[in-house]
Amino acid sequence: MSNEQLRESISFIQKKTSLRPTIAIVLGSGLGDFGESLSNKTVIDTSTIPNYPVSTVEGHKGKLIFGKLKNIPLLAFQGRIHFYESGNLGKVLYPIHVAHSLGIKTLIVTNAAGGINKNFTPGDLMLITDHINLTFLNPLSSIENNYELRITNYESTSSNLKSQISNDTFYNEQLCEFAERVALNAKIKLQKGVYCGLQGPTYETAAEIQMLKNFGADAVGMSTVNEVTLAVNYGMNVVGFSCITNLGTGISLTKLSHAEVTETGNRVKKQFAKLISLLIEEINRTKK
Ligand code: HPA
């Protein structure tokens, strides 16, 4: 994949919609419906976009949804691609390159995660305060991915990289404050913690969960960390949330299943959507 191919994707997308949002959201498992609730929607099936990678996971149909939330233009990425599907980080990161090229300045990332912190219960929402990247991959590594680096170089500046390195966390402090404030006002319980990203696709063993706990992780999942690393390098302001769909192996007494993950996601998706909506309104208010 090349810059030329990215340009082809962008010009296809921009012909489909006149909306030019500056806020985008990556919808993790469980929050997919959020995009459907937007008004004035343009839904683009990612399989129709030239050069856009397709997900191989059944039921993970990828869509780009352009629409408005209370008159605020928004881009929602529905159905993310996980690294374990192809072993190709370029596919995982493609949506971030697209977001950047479309002029997105604020990125909201969401995911489903297993709880490690003993104060968490399934169904809790967690504001991601920082992350641990245990995928052993990095979007900025030239060894891993020449393609990303080439694209990164054509727009981003080395000063971006410097400021990102000197930052304590990739997650924007002001956006985190907004999230905490709107949650408090709306009486939505919002936990805070460190998200650890692994490659998957298997859930962790009990010993791995203990290790992650010792490392300082509060939640674990199989996405997000590389996408956020690239987005921050592009200069985007990032805020992230995990839906704690289950407790990590060994913390919970019951055996972890995919059904539990989906079930919990469904149970809290309304609250999750409300939190995201309120946050977007708050972000929009401060832009004015
Ligand atoms: N581990 C990893 N990824 C997950 C989990 C988990 O327990 N739950 C949802 N995604």
Side-chain angles (χ1 to χ4, degrees):
M1 288 191 267
S2 63
N3 290 344
E4 193 42 51
Q5 284 170 311
L6 180 64
R7 275 191 207 106
E8 250 175 51
S9 301
I10 299 303
S11 98
F12 177 89
I13 295 165
Q14 288 187 327
K15 277 187 200 124
K16 297 268 176 199
T17 174
S18 57
L19 276 191
R20 298 289 181 262
T22 58
I23 306 174
I25 178 162
V26 177
L27 300 170
S29 346
L31 204 71
D33 296 356
F34 178 81
E36 314 294 342
S37 66
L38 301 178
S39 59
N40 301 77
K41 276 196 297 282
T42 302
V43 181
I44 310 172
D45 198 322
T46 55
S47 64
T48 66
I49 303 172
N51 314 316
Y52 204 101
V54 287
S55 170
T56 51
V57 175
E58 197 72 32
H60 267 229
K61 262 212 175 313
K63 286 179 195 163
L64 261 57
I65 305 178
F66 287 82
K68 287 188 171 183
L69 179 110
K70 302 232 172 109
N71 229 23
I72 307 162
L74 202 64
L75 164 59
F77 291 92
Q78 197 180 57
R80 67 147 63 82
I81 296 166
H82 292 88
F83 179 78
Y84 58 74
E85 291 178 52
S86 66
N88 181 341
L89 191 60
K91 293 190 179 191
V92 175
L93 300 171
Y94 204 75
I96 306 300
H97 294 300
V98 166
H100 171 64
S101 302
L102 289 172
I104 297 300
K105 304 282 181 255
T106 304
L107 186 70
I108 304 169
V109 293
T110 67
N111 58 45
I116 297 175
N117 186 315
K118 65 176 180 4
N119 296 320
F120 290 1
T121 0
D124 278 355
L125 304 178
M126 183 189 91
L127 173 67
I128 304 175
T129 54
D130 205 350
H131 77 216
I132 300 172
N133 183 348
L134 275 189
T135 63
F136 302 101
L137 303 163
N138 193 304
L140 309 185
S141 150
S142 56
I143 301 162
E144 306 257 15
N145 249 302
N146 290 322
Y147 156 66
E148 273 76 24
L149 204 69
R150 271 202 311 272
I151 290 188
T152 307
N153 284 342
Y154 99 82
E155 291 261 347
S156 107
T157 59
S158 54
S159 63
N160 263 346
L161 194 59
K162 265 190 224 124
S163 67
Q164 165 224 309
I165 288 165
S166 61
N167 271 356
D168 289 340
T169 165
F170 287 163
Y171 299 85
N172 184 278
E173 217 177 293
Q174 192 186 16
L175 293 176
C176 286
E177 277 169 24
F178 286 177
E180 287 194 86
R181 188 162 70 224
V182 296
L184 193 70
N185 287 344
K187 298 192 167 55
I188 297 170
K189 182 181 174 195
L190 184 62
Q191 303 277 18
K192 282 200 283 188
V194 173
Y195 172 88
C196 181
L198 269 63
Q199 274 193 29
T202 48
Y203 290 125
E204 302 67 38
T205 64
E208 285 165 346
I209 292 291
Q210 278 311 309
M211 173 193 77
L212 298 176
K213 191 175 175 184
N214 292 336
F215 279 3
D218 296 293
V220 58
M222 305 173 194
S223 67
T224 306
V225 290
N226 287 302
E227 289 142 273
V228 167
T229 303
L230 182 62
V232 171
N233 184 54
Y234 268 145
M236 290 183 219
N237 294 319
V238 177
V239 62
F241 300 92
S242 293
C243 173
I244 307 297
T245 51
N246 57 279
L247 295 180
T249 310
I251 294 186
S252 123
L253 299 173
T254 54
K255 192 168 160 42
L256 178 54
S257 72
H258 185 62
E260 181 190 356
V261 171
T262 326
E263 219 173 85
T264 315
N266 279 335
R267 182 158 59 79
V268 297
K269 69 181 173 198
K270 263 207 181 126
Q271 259 220 335
F272 207 173
K274 187 172 170 197
L275 175 66
I276 301 293
S277 304
L278 291 169
L279 174 63
I280 291 168
E281 287 174 57
E282 184 69 17
I283 293 170
N284 189 58
R285 243 193 307 277
T286 59
K287 271 200 321 198
K288 285 181 182 156

